[in-house]
Amino acid sequence: MHAFDVLGDPVRRRILELLADGERSSGEVTAVVREEFGISQPAVSQHLKVLRDSGFAVVRAEGTRRLYAVDSAPLREVDAWLDRFRRFWTPHLDALATEIARGKRARRNDPGSEA
């Protein structure tokens, strides 16, 4: 499965967001996803399997628990693919940062303003 096919699913994206905060048990992931998306435990398990099989997540056993974590290799591949498109948004973000810095300077230099 292509990386964007994997990431195109909102449930899988949410699971990766949860795992980005650190390793989580399958039970923790399932509880959050079931609450937010209203899907069954087997459906969540299937999404976890897709993430494992596609390399986006790794799993390790700790007793009877299964702990999932993000594997960053496929995300680096996605980032490399996106790199050719960064020129479309990077100048805009740089300009925004410049304007924010100007506004902060103006507020610091204006004794009547509240920072």
Side-chain angles (χ1 to χ4, degrees):
M1 187 177 282
H2 188 276
F4 288 108
D5 294 327
V6 173
L7 297 174
D9 185 279
V11 173
R12 290 192 287 266
R13 284 195 312 271
R14 179 62 176 131
I15 292 171
L16 285 174
E17 289 170 0
L18 293 169
L19 299 179
D21 293 333
E23 189 176 61
R24 290 191 181 235
S25 71
S26 58
E28 289 176 279
V29 171
T30 298
V32 171
V33 171
R34 289 186 72 190
E35 171 77 20
E36 293 180 6
F37 290 90
I39 63 175
S40 68
Q41 181 276 326
V44 177
S45 293
Q46 185 61 39
H47 285 292
L48 286 167
K49 182 181 182 332
V50 169
L51 290 170
R52 277 193 327 269
D53 291 350
S54 62
F56 281 89
V58 293
V59 64
R60 71 178 179 88
E62 186 178 87
T64 58
R65 294 178 356 140
R66 297 293 172 259
L67 299 171
Y68 285 83
V70 169
D71 185 339
S72 63
L75 294 172
R76 286 192 300 272
E77 292 173 17
V78 169
D79 187 56
W81 186 86
L82 285 170
D83 198 45
R84 68 191 300 192
F85 301 99
R86 288 189 208 291
R87 64 186 168 92
F88 294 112
W89 66 77
T90 299
H92 300 291
L93 293 175
D94 291 343
L96 176 60
T98 299
E99 290 304 315
I100 290 170
R102 282 183 186 150
K104 287 179 180 178
R105 268 194 315 276
R107 282 192 303 276
R108 276 195 314 263
N109 293 333
D110 182 5
S113 72
E114 295 180 24

